[in-house]
Amino acid sequence: MAKSKAAKALVFRCVSCGHVEVKWLGRCPGCGEWNSLRESTAKGDEGPERAGESFPVPIGAIDASEASRMSTGLGEFDRVLGGGLLRGSAILIGGEPGIGKSTLLLQVAASCAVSGRVLYVSGEESPAQIRMRAGRLDAVREGLEVFASGNLATIRAALDSLRPTVVIVDSIQTLWSDEAGSVPGTANQIKFCAQELVGWAKAHDSSLFLVAHVTKDGLIAGPKAAEHLVDAVLSFEQGEGDIRVLRAAKNRFGSVDEIGLFRMGPKGLSELLDPSGLFLVRRESGLPPGVAVAPVHEGSRVLLVEIQALAVPAKAGFTRVYSDRIEVARVSRIAAVLEKHANMRLSDNDLYVNVAGGMRLTEPGIDLAVAAALWSARTGQALPSGAALAGELSLAGEVRPVVQMRKRARAAANLGFGLVLGPADEYGSPDPGDKGAEKDTSDWKRVSDLGGALKALFGGTGPKATKGEKA
Ligand code: TYD
Ligand code: MG
């Protein structure tokens, strides 16, 4: 970590204000507190040590107020972080090249520079390029300093002299240190440099953003090694067109369910404030076969998304499932439930499943909509327009409860959906932060199994009872 080997000398440090004395005193000259000096090791000028980290303190005496969170200037970013940027935290942001990581962080840098000093370190672009971009983003601020370097030693020297409250390093793949031996960009180099920078940030109560380029297949070896060193791992992903999605894969200080939604425009990224209907496809006439809409609960809000399915005779003699927005295993499981409990032959078909708007969906509540889309694709019969479905499917073909069903029904109704299908039982209590919950009278058509749901959607042509034989 960031401790220098020479700094082992003992000092006395005040528990309440961090003041350091070379000898013990009954009263702290820094804050006037009595009996607050404790033995500690001097760490050169490594900045304030925090009670409980460098010496034991009563748990109630630790300052852990939410006030130590700072806004990034983008509410959608704050949401993903768990309510803003926590001082002393380290965040890794991965994304494909060109997705907008540098743009996003330059905007965050500008916003944080209003209340503190920010250092934007870039090993990717020249200061002139960064200045040009900052001009376009209206991100030129007095407290924002730019340093084009990838050398760890010079970056550390800059950090020590500037003492920024927010540090952005773009990217960790361009960092290198003589101490780490090998060539820049290797896993060893990345890990060593990341560890040093995280150590510095923790010791100085600064927030650190590390940018990582990742390929389509996910985090490559180097940045992966940095994942466990940081407090949060975020990924910045492509949605449809100019839409960008920020999500957390790991977050020590918040949930990983929240997603942030942005739009990339000529002046950088802007927040998408009412995204509930964003992932719907507007059509003049009714729905084509193979399309079903699901109210999806993402973090603390509901989004309506369109799920599209296509079933075509299998080319290779066995079924293949092509789906990169919804897990293949889940689609296969839903197809198996349709075979078994809805008399639908799918095993001689290749199945394609997609989500309009490029949204990646992981929550269980989409099962019923995926099933309806597959059924519709296979039979060629379209769902009634104005229908939305939520529910998890059990292997026995039952529609299982999902979280926040009432909120989903309300979101769907607000967007003009007249027929909302969902599980018979409610599950969990209303979201305490949900302002519309009290006067909510939204309701949905309750279905208890797949057969019932398909009947409600497709009328008499839906499957009768589930006998298990194939159509
Ligand atoms: P960038 O932030 O450089 O991506 P990354 O750091 O992830 O590689 O963003 C690059 C893309 O964003 C580039 O194609 C241009 C586009 N862009 C805009 O559309 N509007 C803007 O205001 C900016 C700064 C970039
Ligand atoms: Mg970049």
Side-chain angles (χ1 to χ4, degrees):
M1 292 282 270
K3 287 164 199 147
S4 84
K5 288 182 193 96
K8 286 272 168 65
L10 273 187
V11 294
F12 296 91
R13 205 175 290 266
C14 174
V15 182
S16 47
C17 74
H19 178 88
V20 178
E21 282 289 318
V22 287
K23 60 181 195 306
W24 191 84
L25 295 172
R27 185 178 191 185
C28 172
C31 64
E33 191 74 44
W34 287 94
N35 280 325
S36 63
L37 294 189
R38 302 275 164 90
E39 218 172 75
S40 166
T41 51
K43 289 166 76 186
D45 58 350
E46 292 238 315
E49 287 179 37
R50 285 177 297 184
E53 291 183 4
S54 26
F55 38 88
V57 287
I59 190 165
I62 300 170
D63 177 22
S65 58
E66 286 288 309
S68 54
R69 285 195 192 260
M70 153 169 64
S71 174
T72 59
L74 289 161
E76 290 293 293
F77 202 144
D78 294 346
R79 164 197 292 278
V80 176
L81 290 174
L85 179 59
L86 209 55
R87 294 200 66 163
S89 65
I91 295 145
L92 183 70
I93 297 194
E96 288 177 36
I99 200 79
K101 302 179 295 296
S102 304
T103 306
L104 179 67
L105 290 175
L106 196 52
Q107 289 180 243
V108 169
S111 173
C112 294
V114 173
S115 56
R117 204 194 288 258
V118 179
L119 180 63
Y120 183 95
V121 181
S122 178
E124 307 249 330
E125 285 147 319
S126 69
Q129 286 172 313
I130 297 166
R131 172 64 179 85
M132 269 168 57
R133 175 178 298 188
R136 191 136 71 94
L137 298 173
D138 187 22
V140 181
R141 297 282 181 286
E142 205 166 308
L144 171 55
E145 309 233 356
V146 170
F147 187 33
S149 173
N151 182 304
L152 185 71
T154 57
I155 293 168
R156 278 207 59 146
L159 291 174
D160 285 335
S161 76
L162 269 173
R163 293 293 174 87
T165 48
V166 175
V167 187
I168 291 159
V169 176
D170 187 1
S171 66
I172 59 171
Q173 275 108 332
T174 56
L175 287 174
W176 56 277
S177 165
D178 293 333
E179 292 169 75
S182 46
V183 203
T186 58
N188 246 354
Q189 281 279 0
I190 291 175
K191 197 170 168 186
F192 180 82
C193 295
Q195 196 162 27
E196 287 289 305
L197 291 170
V198 171
W200 191 92
K202 298 272 169 203
H204 294 83
D205 222 10
S206 298
S207 307
L208 171 70
F209 290 99
L210 295 170
V211 174
H213 292 296
V214 302
T215 57
K216 270 213 154 52
D217 313 320
L219 279 183
I220 44 181
K224 190 102 200 152
E227 274 191 351
H228 74 277
L229 302 170
V230 296
D231 301 303
V233 178
L234 311 182
S235 67
F236 202 37
E237 300 169 4
Q238 174 86 49
E240 187 113 310
D242 53 6
I243 294 171
R244 301 287 182 275
V245 184
L246 184 67
R247 55 173 89 230
K250 158 181 171 176
N251 190 358
R252 275 188 193 144
F253 307 119
S255 118
V256 291
D257 297 331
E258 295 284 359
I259 59 168
L261 293 163
F262 303 87
R263 175 165 274 142
M264 179 68 95
K267 288 185 165 167
L269 292 150
S270 50
E271 303 173 56
L272 283 168
L273 293 175
D274 183 19
S276 52
L278 189 74
F279 298 96
L280 289 175
V281 182
R282 306 271 171 209
R283 292 189 181 85
E284 293 298 309
S285 48
L287 296 177
V291 167
V293 173
V296 176
H297 196 254
E298 281 282 350
S300 55
R301 63 187 159 192
V302 176
L303 308 171
L304 278 107
V305 295
E306 179 177 302
I307 293 168
Q308 304 164 348
L310 178 67
V312 290
K315 288 179 280 293
F318 58 91
T319 311
R320 288 199 59 178
V321 175
Y322 301 86
S323 172
D324 57 358
R325 298 294 166 179
I326 299 172
E327 228 192 332
V328 169
R330 176 194 293 260
V331 175
S332 305
R333 177 172 55 75
I334 294 167
V337 173
L338 277 164
E339 288 239 20
K340 181 74 182 168
H341 299 287
N343 296 329
M344 163 146 287
R345 192 173 177 90
L346 287 167
S347 53
D348 50 2
N349 273 235
D350 283 340
L351 304 178
Y352 295 80
V353 173
N354 194 22
V355 179
M359 195 62 169
R360 194 152 58 81
L361 300 180
T362 53
E363 74 126 328
I366 59 168
D367 285 3
L368 192 56
V370 173
L374 286 170
W375 169 273
S376 165
R378 182 74 172 90
T379 60
Q381 205 187 338
L383 272 83
S385 35
L389 307 87
E392 186 178 356
L393 278 179
S394 75
L395 292 180
E398 305 146 300
V399 176
R400 305 290 309 146
V402 293
V403 291
Q404 301 297 339
M405 185 57 216
R406 189 163 295 276
K407 196 171 166 186
R408 296 180 201 235
R410 170 158 33 104
N414 286 345
L415 285 164
F417 287 84
L419 173 64
V420 182
L421 258 58
D425 301 319
E426 282 200 72
Y427 180 55
S429 47
D431 178 355
D434 181 7
K435 292 186 187 68
E438 280 157 42
K439 45 184 185 304
D440 190 4
T441 55
S442 1
D443 213 344
W444 64 95
K445 184 171 172 56
R446 285 153 167 84
V447 286
S448 54
D449 58 27
L450 179 59
L454 294 175
K455 201 160 215 161
L457 290 170
F458 302 103
T461 57
K464 286 139 245 113
T466 55
K467 292 190 194 74
E469 86 272 10
K470 282 164 191 168

